[in-house]
Amino acid sequence: MNLIPHRFSVELPDDLIMAVVKAKDNDAVKQIGIEWCTQQSKELVAAGIPVLHYYSMGKAENVKAIAKEIF
């Protein structure tokens, strides 16, 4: 969790960090990420953003799960 903010110069919401810290295993972390990304994507679409671009980082199944909920 610490690598991403330093490597990519981003700030992560405290609620997201706490959810990941409390996660019991990697599957739970994966689900948290999918849920957060899905919610953010829905907010962007509702705001009229015409295109969403996802970096899969080799995890295409995650992006497929998100896209299924959005499109």
Side-chain angles (χ1 to χ4, degrees):
M1 194 71 181
N2 290 331
L3 176 67
I4 292 173
H6 297 293
R7 177 86 54 172
F8 298 103
S9 299
V10 298
E11 292 184 28
L12 300 174
D14 289 338
D15 291 346
L16 174 58
I17 293 169
M18 292 309 299
V20 169
V21 168
K22 292 178 184 177
K24 295 182 181 188
D25 56 29
N26 286 340
D27 287 336
V29 172
K30 175 182 174 180
Q31 191 58 40
I32 292 165
I34 289 170
E35 290 170 6
W36 273 78
C37 188
T38 300
Q39 183 58 40
Q40 186 175 44
S41 296
K42 287 178 179 180
E43 291 171 10
L44 290 168
V45 168
I49 302 302
V51 177
L52 302 178
H53 179 89
Y54 302 94
Y55 288 94
S56 68
M57 309 270 310
K59 307 291 184 187
E61 292 301 317
N62 296 358
V63 175
K64 286 169 71 174
I66 296 161
K68 182 178 175 183
E69 294 294 322
I70 305 303
F71 304 106

